[in-house]
Amino acid sequence: MNKLTAWLWPQGAMLNEGGGPWGGRGGGNGGGDGDGGGPRNPWSEPPSGGRPRGNRPGPAALDELLRRSRERFGSGGGFPDLNGRPIWAYALLAFLALWIVFTSVHSIAPRERGVILRLGRYAGTMSPGVNFSFPAPVDQVVKQNIEEIRTVDIGSTAAENENLMLTSDQNIVDLAYSVRWNISDPALFLFQLKDPEDTIREVAESAMRAVMANVTLNDAIGAGRTSIEAQVAQRMQELLNAYRSGVRIQGVAIKQADPPAEVTESFKKVSAAQQNAIAYLNGARAYAQQITARAQGEAAAFDKVYEQYKLAPEVTRRRMYYETMEDVLSKVDKTIVEVPGVTPYLPLDRLPKAQAAQEPQQ
């Protein structure tokens, strides 16, 4: 206790005489600017003369650091001045200018359209070229490629992923097909469809089942595919237009149309028989064309003979008679009538073999 009292007494005396722990200008040798050895205010300027005289301490390290900082950053203690204004103000203005330029000027490609969202609400559509809008975050531009053809595959050619559908003749067919589509209205496409591919897939399955319910199995696996594809594409477009989806269907392509795996072999035999029938029909048509061409040639030759007959009827009639008799008599037995009886005459090549062998002996 005595030691604490002895330490506090000189401190209290110093506060009373100097006006503070750093001394004061009011009196005594303890003043900060006097020549005495009392404590000095560390925030005041160091005395002139460079080095301290006598037993006075030199400038504090904190004073020296603050002086160098003021010399480096200016008298204001902030950033360097530029024409009377701090440089950070110019940096902020440059940043704002770049922000406005990069968020207000938009380049839209020929294949794209830009949807303007003003505070999250549709405000318009940008056409190809250079367009302007309010800077972000007031306006946002979402670019949509309207010419890109996208494809949705439905079903699979693998046996384990069958897509079975019922036909009008109560048969089952396994289908695999694809749908090609693109964006027709970017605004509707952006706001109306949450998941475009899933929506198009479900619409395609619904349209395909509706069309397959009105066709036979032979049409589904045969020559009726083209008609089925056109009907499905038209029905899908009608449904998507009713949804205001902003989607245009470019086409539907059936990649596989087979019966179920359990009856595949039987259907292959039926298909082979149909192919043979088609081959026979094609052969019959070819033969009919040959006969028709031959008849047309004979008719043309008869017309030419008739033209000659009209020029000289008697001569033409006699010539035709001689040609006909020559053709007929060359194929029948010949008989020569002599007086007083009738003697048959046959060529050697038409006699029986035994008689032909005896003729030279006579």
Side-chain angles (χ1 to χ4, degrees):
M1 189 67 179
N2 294 334
K3 292 182 179 180
L4 179 60
T5 304
W7 182 82
L8 290 176
W9 176 254
Q11 303 298 329
M14 182 181 64
L15 289 174
N16 293 332
E17 294 178 0
W22 308 109
R25 295 180 180 270
N29 294 332
D33 294 333
D35 293 337
R40 184 173 52 86
N41 188 351
W43 307 105
S44 62
E45 292 291 336
S48 59
R51 298 183 63 182
R53 293 176 298 173
N55 58 352
R56 289 183 302 178
L62 183 59
D63 290 342
E64 187 67 17
L65 179 61
L66 293 176
R67 182 183 63 80
R68 292 179 180 179
S69 299
R70 284 195 297 269
E71 291 178 356
R72 179 175 300 177
F73 294 104
S75 58
F79 290 95
D81 292 346
L82 187 63
N83 295 330
R85 295 181 180 178
I87 195 171
W88 61 265
Y90 291 96
L92 180 60
L93 292 176
F95 175 77
L96 292 177
L98 292 176
W99 177 266
I100 293 174
V101 169
F102 282 104
T103 59
S104 300
V105 182
H106 309 277
S107 177
I108 308 299
R111 297 167 55 93
E112 297 177 338
R113 297 295 184 272
V115 179
I116 305 174
L117 304 180
R118 183 161 299 158
L119 300 177
R121 191 172 185 176
Y122 173 72
T125 302
M126 293 182 175
S127 58
V130 178
N131 298 267
F132 301 92
S133 68
F134 291 110
V138 178
D139 280 359
Q140 295 182 356
V141 176
V142 180
K143 297 181 180 180
Q144 298 284 349
N145 191 334
I146 64 172
E147 296 185 11
E148 180 184 1
I149 303 299
R150 312 178 190 188
T151 304
V152 176
D153 293 323
I154 303 173
S156 175
T157 56
E160 61 272 10
N161 295 325
E162 292 183 335
N163 186 25
L164 303 179
M165 296 188 181
L166 186 66
T167 61
S168 61
D169 53 355
Q170 303 300 315
N171 286 308
I172 297 176
V173 61
D174 182 16
L175 286 179
Y177 54 98
S178 61
V179 179
R180 302 185 307 277
W181 61 278
N182 68 327
I183 300 174
S184 61
D185 191 324
L188 293 178
F189 179 79
L190 185 62
F191 289 101
Q192 296 288 41
L193 297 182
K194 180 180 180 181
D195 195 338
E197 288 200 3
D198 286 348
T199 302
I200 294 173
R201 185 186 303 275
E202 294 174 0
V203 170
E205 291 182 357
S206 175
M208 181 62 75
R209 293 185 184 278
V211 173
M212 291 299 297
N214 296 321
V215 299
T216 62
L217 179 62
N218 291 333
D219 293 335
I221 65 177
R225 289 189 181 183
T226 304
S227 176
I228 294 173
E229 292 171 351
Q231 294 180 41
V232 172
Q234 180 179 1
R235 191 176 185 88
M236 287 186 62
Q237 191 64 64
E238 293 174 356
L239 291 174
L240 291 173
N241 290 342
Y243 294 163
R244 301 182 72 246
S245 61
V247 172
R248 180 184 295 110
I249 300 299
Q250 296 295 333
V252 177
I254 297 178
K255 299 184 293 184
Q256 172 186 309
D258 295 330
E262 293 79 3
V263 294
T264 301
E265 293 298 329
S266 299
F267 272 91
K268 286 182 179 179
K269 293 179 181 179
V270 173
S271 179
Q274 292 175 349
Q275 295 295 332
N276 292 334
I278 293 174
Y280 292 147
L281 289 175
N282 292 335
R285 293 189 183 98
Y287 178 73
Q289 291 176 357
Q290 292 177 1
I291 297 299
T292 303
R294 184 184 302 172
Q296 291 175 351
E298 293 177 355
F302 180 81
D303 292 338
K304 291 182 180 180
V305 173
Y306 181 69
E307 292 176 359
Q308 297 297 326
Y309 173 78
K310 290 190 298 183
L311 295 176
E314 186 64 27
V315 176
T316 305
R317 187 184 301 113
R318 186 178 296 276
R319 184 174 60 83
M320 292 176 63
Y321 174 76
Y322 289 155
E323 291 177 354
T324 303
M325 293 303 296
E326 181 181 357
D327 185 55
V328 171
L329 294 176
S330 64
K331 301 177 182 179
V332 299
D333 297 338
K334 298 177 180 64
T335 301
I336 299 175
V337 179
E338 295 180 353
V339 180
V342 178
T343 302
Y345 171 78
L346 295 174
L348 293 177
D349 57 348
R350 300 183 65 86
L351 292 176
K353 294 182 179 181
Q355 186 178 356
Q358 296 176 1
E359 284 294 332
Q361 298 177 1
Q362 297 178 356

